[in-house]
Amino acid sequence: MLLQIHPRSSFSLKYHPLQHAGSVKTFQTPLKHINGLANKNQSKKYSVRCSSESSFFLTNKIGHSEDLVINRNHKPLSKSTVALAAQDGYSSKSELASTSFMQVLNKKCDAFYRLTRPYSCVSIIAALLSVSLLPLQSPADFTPKLVIEAFKCMVPAIMMNNYANAINQLADVHIDKVNKPHLPLACGDFSMGEGLAITIASPLMAVAMGIMLRSPPLVIGFIIWCIVGGAYSIDLPPLLRWKGNPLMAAVTIISMNGLLLLFPFFIHFQKIVLGNPVAFTKPVLFTAAYMVIWNAAIAFVKDIPDVEGDKAFGLRTLPIILGKEKVFSIAVNMMLTAYGSAVLVGAFSPSVLCRLVTMIGHSALAFVLWRQAKTIDLSDNKSVQSFYLFIWKLYYVEFLFVHFLR
């Protein structure tokens, strides 16, 4: 007789490791706890045959064989027909291994997602799509080849971004346990060895792809990116650890998030892809100036939520030196100045459409920025972090507006 034990049963059958294979244990259970084949008796004795494996089967005392479980009132049932599920927690080794593998894989993917700081990856994608269009001199220059090359360039650029994030988190793991305990190295979701592997592999693959694209501007840009990212994070005074110097920290952010995304890729698209001589146009120069101002403001705001941890570990960031309120005010005014400059540049555009888009668009963005800044509570790190992510979104939008500065 084959039985299925109800999951709310008052008893649980398990193979005890101290019982030897082949032994039989008798138990008695009421009918109401047994689902499956009908049992005419209210109470009946059954036996459990123990085996060396984690599963078990039940037999009645009238008779059993190795392949069949027989009930006197019913037809024989093969054990392969109706499986006795291990509802008390037992499952096959393959199922456990599969579940464990998927859990580990999901955990590592989530950790990698947090390590890469997705908002900076979005910035790279938006920047490269915009920069790839800056060298165009006519609509005929916009070809499928240009689009394909733009997507090819995104891969090594994102790898360099991963390198910068990974080396920073490796060097700051003790600080991040205070400031940003959710990051994968700080919370232990990635080991130091895994972080080191990402740090080494990412720039090597990026430089290799630059060589495969036969682009000296990209290769040189990636090497500079690697040097600047390392100098920002590696604690090797007096020359390195630029993070502890407000001026050099701003230079690093401006370089990696701005200029290294502009000039190497602009030259690549203009000279390598389109085959034109290098010429820096008005939109390119304005984009460079805008990136310098905006990324300096980003660097200042970035350090505001980290004051407690940075102070505890001896870093001298600008918010520690000048105070949160003053640094926040400086950053907001810098961004408003960038928008004001864009309005003035757009006012002298020969195209009516470009004048309207740049003047109205940047005025609207400046108003939104000003309104958002008024709502920030500098004593609340979550509020400051929310504003930090908000100004990244404004940064993405500017990559669209630069094309109207003609």
Side-chain angles (χ1 to χ4, degrees):
M1 176 177 179
L2 182 64
L3 305 176
Q4 182 180 3
I5 309 302
H6 195 276
R8 292 177 295 180
S9 174
S10 59
F11 61 91
S12 175
L13 295 179
K14 296 182 179 179
Y15 169 65
H16 195 281
L18 297 179
Q19 287 182 310
H20 61 277
S23 66
V24 177
K25 184 172 180 64
T26 303
F27 67 93
Q28 188 169 353
T29 181
L31 178 63
K32 63 181 181 180
H33 286 285
I34 301 175
N35 298 322
L37 300 177
N39 185 1
K40 294 182 179 181
N41 298 327
Q42 290 296 320
S43 177
K44 201 161 188 174
K45 290 184 177 180
Y46 299 93
S47 61
V48 180
R49 177 174 296 280
C50 302
S51 71
S52 59
E53 300 184 6
S54 60
S55 60
F56 61 88
F57 60 88
L58 304 179
T59 63
N60 67 6
K61 300 191 72 174
I62 295 178
H64 61 82
S65 69
E66 188 151 354
D67 296 316
L68 298 176
V69 180
I70 304 173
N71 178 274
R72 70 183 73 179
N73 299 318
H74 300 277
K75 294 180 180 180
L77 294 176
S78 169
K79 285 189 290 185
S80 62
T81 305
V82 183
L84 180 61
Q87 298 182 15
D88 56 350
Y90 283 91
S91 59
S92 68
K93 293 180 180 179
S94 61
E95 289 174 348
L96 287 173
S98 176
T99 302
S100 177
F101 173 77
M102 291 306 299
Q103 288 175 343
V104 171
L105 181 62
N106 289 337
K107 184 177 180 181
K108 293 300 182 183
C109 288
D110 177 69
F112 187 75
Y113 176 82
R114 284 179 282 127
L115 180 138
T116 59
R117 290 175 177 158
Y119 58 84
S120 60
C121 292
V122 174
S123 171
I124 288 173
I125 293 171
L128 291 186
L129 289 175
S130 179
V131 171
S132 68
L133 301 177
L134 288 176
L136 301 186
Q137 298 177 355
S138 67
D141 291 334
F142 186 77
T143 61
K145 179 184 177 182
L146 182 72
V147 177
I148 294 171
E149 288 296 324
F151 282 101
K152 284 181 181 178
C153 290
M154 288 179 191
V155 178
I158 290 175
M159 287 180 181
M160 289 308 305
N161 177 71
N162 294 344
Y163 156 77
N165 288 325
I167 194 172
N168 180 248
Q169 292 177 39
L170 273 175
D172 287 356
V173 65
H174 53 295
I175 301 177
D176 288 338
K177 288 179 180 179
V178 178
N179 290 338
K180 302 179 179 98
H182 64 281
L183 292 178
L185 288 170
C187 69
D189 288 343
F190 269 159
S191 67
M192 296 296 285
E194 290 169 329
L196 184 62
I198 295 171
T199 302
I200 295 173
S202 297
L204 290 177
M205 289 189 290
V207 172
M209 288 197 67
I211 295 172
M212 291 171 63
L213 293 172
R214 299 179 180 179
S215 176
L218 293 186
V219 174
I220 295 171
F222 295 151
I223 293 173
I224 296 173
W225 200 330
C226 186
I227 294 171
V228 172
Y232 176 79
S233 299
I234 297 174
D235 191 1
L236 188 62
L239 298 178
L240 303 184
R241 193 59 170 172
W242 291 357
K243 181 175 182 175
N245 184 298
L247 176 61
M248 297 310 297
V251 168
T252 301
I253 302 300
I254 291 169
S255 300
M256 293 195 299
N257 293 339
L259 301 182
L260 287 173
L261 281 174
L262 176 60
F263 290 113
F265 288 93
F266 175 79
I267 296 172
H268 170 76
F269 286 113
Q270 189 172 52
K271 185 175 182 179
I272 307 299
V273 178
L274 297 177
N276 298 326
V278 176
F280 297 113
T281 59
K282 180 180 176 181
V284 175
L285 296 177
F286 173 81
T287 302
Y290 176 86
M291 283 180 164
V292 169
I293 297 173
W294 201 269
N295 281 288
I298 285 177
F300 296 158
V301 175
K302 172 182 175 292
D303 289 332
I304 293 177
D306 298 339
V307 165
E308 298 304 323
D310 291 345
K311 187 183 296 184
F313 289 93
L315 294 178
R316 298 285 293 169
T317 61
L318 205 60
I320 293 175
I321 298 172
L322 300 179
K324 293 182 179 181
E325 293 78 9
K326 192 167 185 178
V327 171
F328 184 77
S329 177
I330 291 172
V332 172
N333 286 324
M334 288 175 65
M335 291 183 282
L336 291 175
T337 300
Y339 281 141
S341 301
V343 171
L344 290 177
V345 172
F348 292 96
S349 175
S351 168
V352 176
L353 175 63
C354 290
R355 281 202 302 270
L356 290 175
V357 171
T358 53
M359 294 177 67
I360 296 174
H362 287 99
S363 298
L365 291 176
F367 176 74
V368 171
L369 172 64
W370 177 77
R371 283 287 303 272
Q372 187 70 17
K374 292 293 183 183
T375 65
I376 301 304
D377 179 8
L378 294 178
S379 63
D380 182 4
N381 285 345
K382 289 185 177 179
S383 178
V384 179
Q385 184 67 18
S386 174
F387 181 76
Y388 176 70
L389 296 177
F390 171 75
I391 61 178
W392 273 99
K393 295 174 183 176
L394 295 180
Y395 189 52
Y396 307 153
V397 175
E398 190 59 31
F399 289 119
L400 172 64
F401 280 120
V402 294
H403 295 284
F404 292 92
L405 293 167
R406 300 288 180 177

